[in-house]
Amino acid sequence: MRRFVPQTLPVWVLAIVIAGLLIIQVTTLVLVARDRNSANEVVDYYRLNDRVYATVQLMHAEAPDARAALASGLAHSGYGVTVSAAPAVSNSIAGNDQLAELEDILVARLAKFGVLDARVRRDPGRQPRPAQDGSDSGSDVGDVEADLLQVATGFAASDKLTASVQFSDGQWLNLIQPITPPVPVLTLESLPLYAVAAGLVLLAAAWAIRRLTAPYRVMESAVRRLGDDIKSPPLPETGSREIRAAARALNVMQRKLRDYVEGREQLAAALAHDLRTPMTRMRIRLSLLRGSRLREELAADLADIEAIASSVIDFATFEVSDEKPERIDFRSLVEAVADGFGAASLASAPGQGRALVCVARPVALKRCVTNLVQNAVKYGKRAQLSLRGNGDRILLTISDEGPGIPPAQLDAVFAPFVRIDGSRSRETGGHGLGLAIARNIARDAGGDITLANRPRGGLEATLTLPLAA
């Protein structure tokens, strides 16, 4: 059921526009039909009132026998005129308030002609009999004649108004008048016009909604890009006032985040760098402690401190580096890194060409691959590398023969200064920054690094990078 519910803002707005258009169209058609029927009803009452008045004016002074002759001359198809001793409308009580008011109007207007009573009734229409002479079905019928025949058929089938008026001598004049048949607002002829109008409105609405929501899509992509790369270009502050304000706020937030991150990184790098001066003095003083039993222990501790300081500097200065991205032959880079480790080997993939080119910072990307291979050699004795292309991605798989990592900590090892107890302890070297630096470099290039334990033992690291266009 949820798949039928709009999932995006433009679709929601378009659905609301379509629903509003349908409601407006249906409501308009209903109101037009009701107003048209109401107007036709008033016109029919007017026509009956005027016809009765004219007929009474013509007949009131005539003798009863002469009235009958006049009535037969005035009657024609659909409009009956008769005189009789009894009224055609036998019920003296009107069917509704409108007819009762019409009766009062007739009596008031015709009182000067000696009219004593007036009655009006509405009778249901009857289906017209089919024409016998074929005059309405010939191929030589013109448009005007066809329209007249259609109107005549509608009047013949419509309801009738019957009025009975009593003269002063007791004779009744009966008139029958057809009611104007209701004309449908929506017909086969008018349906294409409504469809074209609705289609044009929908096209204009879709175009306007797309133009209106375009800045939001740009902002969405900019926010996503900011999450991947805090150094991404700022948003252009163009468009409506609201869009400009949102873009300006986003650019200010990005600038503050960059200043904050760069400040923290430069602070860490400065602290680690400043530690080198006292560490150098300590190393000089250690060289004077010849024959002391603490000399070797202090030298080992000092070496650990220097390694930690170097790692912190590397980690902190990675983001503030000014190295520019370039097109890189990734296979050549991996081969060069693998050649630097005696326990690392790159498997040849049959059918794979050498055109595995990516866009990244060369020194940083080499550092990323080096960290992964170094970890595999350090903790897993050997590093087996496999490189292949997969659609628009480059996949580098590095497998080792070590004990692996507990599944619950496969993602935690990417955090800075995190080391796994046991086989990956301080005694084996490292300070928990290699994987953190490698993943940051990979993500900066639009890729990522994932870890997984091999079924037969060991750890498998997969570096994914986008293939350059």
Side-chain angles (χ1 to χ4, degrees):
M1 185 63 182
R2 288 181 57 87
R3 62 180 178 178
F4 298 107
V5 178
Q7 302 295 323
T8 60
L9 178 62
V11 178
W12 263 114
V13 176
L14 189 60
I16 293 173
V17 170
I18 294 175
L21 179 63
L22 290 177
I23 293 174
I24 292 175
Q25 289 278 41
V26 172
T27 303
T28 302
L29 292 178
V30 171
L31 292 176
V32 169
R34 189 188 68 176
D35 292 345
R36 178 182 292 182
N37 292 334
S38 177
N40 287 343
E41 189 174 30
V42 173
V43 171
D44 290 332
Y45 290 161
Y46 173 80
R47 289 169 53 219
L48 179 63
N49 181 28
D50 192 59
R51 185 163 175 253
V52 170
Y53 183 88
T55 305
V56 170
Q57 186 181 21
L58 178 65
M59 291 185 176
H60 79 282
E62 301 292 333
D65 295 338
R67 291 173 185 163
L70 287 174
S72 62
L74 293 174
H76 59 87
S77 176
Y79 292 85
V81 181
T82 61
V83 290
S84 60
V89 182
S90 59
N91 193 353
S92 61
I93 301 176
N96 55 51
D97 294 340
Q98 291 179 336
L99 295 180
E101 186 176 356
L102 180 60
E103 292 175 354
D104 296 338
I105 293 173
L106 288 173
V107 172
R109 290 191 66 192
L110 302 176
K112 61 183 178 180
F113 301 120
V115 171
L116 303 177
D117 191 9
R119 302 176 184 179
V120 182
R121 180 185 66 198
R122 180 167 182 159
D123 299 321
R126 298 179 178 86
Q127 291 295 329
R129 291 178 298 176
Q132 300 298 326
D133 57 358
S135 60
D136 59 343
S137 60
S139 59
D140 58 343
V141 176
D143 293 339
V144 176
E145 185 178 359
D147 292 339
L148 290 177
L149 290 174
Q150 184 178 2
V151 171
T153 303
F155 272 101
S158 66
D159 294 350
K160 304 294 189 293
L161 285 175
T162 302
S164 296
V165 178
Q166 187 182 25
F167 291 110
S168 58
D169 57 7
Q171 193 177 37
W172 289 86
L173 172 64
N174 304 302
L175 295 96
I176 299 175
Q177 176 178 295
I179 294 176
T180 304
V183 179
V185 178
L186 190 62
T187 62
L188 293 177
E189 290 77 11
S190 62
L191 185 60
L193 179 61
Y194 282 106
V196 170
L200 292 176
V201 171
L202 290 180
L203 289 177
W207 177 83
I209 291 170
R210 183 170 180 82
R211 289 293 302 269
L212 181 65
T213 57
Y216 294 98
R217 294 194 298 271
V218 173
M219 291 181 62
E220 179 185 0
S221 62
V223 172
R224 188 181 300 111
R225 188 173 67 248
L226 177 61
D228 296 334
D229 181 13
I230 198 173
K231 295 183 178 180
S232 59
L235 276 178
E237 298 179 8
T238 59
S240 62
R241 182 175 61 183
E242 293 79 6
I243 299 300
R244 292 197 306 270
R248 189 178 304 111
L250 187 63
N251 291 337
V252 171
M253 180 189 69
Q254 179 182 4
R255 186 166 57 251
K256 290 183 177 180
L257 283 175
R258 286 187 59 179
D259 293 342
Y260 175 78
V261 172
E262 291 180 358
R264 296 292 296 271
E265 291 169 347
Q266 290 173 353
L267 175 62
L271 290 175
H273 184 271
D274 290 343
L275 285 175
R276 289 182 171 180
T277 300
M279 286 189 296
T280 302
R281 292 198 299 265
M282 292 172 64
R283 185 171 295 279
I284 294 174
R285 290 168 182 168
L286 278 176
S287 63
L288 302 177
L289 297 177
R290 297 180 180 179
S292 173
R293 292 182 301 174
L294 298 177
R295 182 178 182 277
E296 294 182 0
E297 297 178 2
L298 291 175
D301 291 339
L302 185 58
D304 286 341
I305 295 174
E306 289 179 340
I308 293 174
S310 298
S311 299
V312 170
I313 292 175
D314 292 338
F315 181 77
T317 57
F318 159 72
E319 289 290 346
V320 297
S321 174
D322 292 330
E323 185 184 10
K324 301 299 182 182
E326 300 177 6
R327 293 176 64 88
I328 301 172
D329 184 352
F330 191 62
R331 184 179 294 276
S332 299
L333 185 145
V334 173
E335 289 176 348
V337 173
D339 290 341
F341 293 87
S345 60
L346 176 61
S348 59
Q352 290 283 347
R354 299 182 62 88
L356 295 178
V357 179
C358 62
V359 177
R361 294 188 283 178
V363 176
L365 185 59
K366 186 174 183 180
R367 174 70 182 278
C368 172
V369 177
T370 301
N371 285 1
L372 294 176
V373 175
Q374 188 176 26
N375 276 2
V377 172
K378 183 183 298 183
Y379 303 118
K381 300 179 182 178
R382 294 189 55 82
Q384 300 173 356
L385 283 69
S386 174
L387 182 62
R388 62 187 177 90
N390 184 12
D392 59 347
R393 313 292 289 180
I394 301 174
L395 274 67
L396 172 62
T397 303
I398 304 173
S399 305
D400 61 35
E401 300 175 359
I405 295 176
Q409 299 183 356
L410 283 174
D411 195 61
V413 294
F414 287 104
F417 302 106
V418 172
R419 292 180 297 272
I420 303 300
D421 294 334
S423 63
R424 295 176 184 250
S425 62
R426 183 182 295 272
E427 283 73 15
T428 60
H431 303 92
L433 290 174
L435 288 177
I437 295 175
R439 173 175 271 190
N440 286 345
I441 295 173
R443 289 183 172 177
D444 179 67
D448 203 354
I449 298 175
T450 57
L451 299 178
N453 290 311
R454 302 172 63 191
R456 295 186 299 272
L459 187 69
E460 182 177 272
T462 302
L463 169 61
T464 305
L465 294 172
L467 193 64

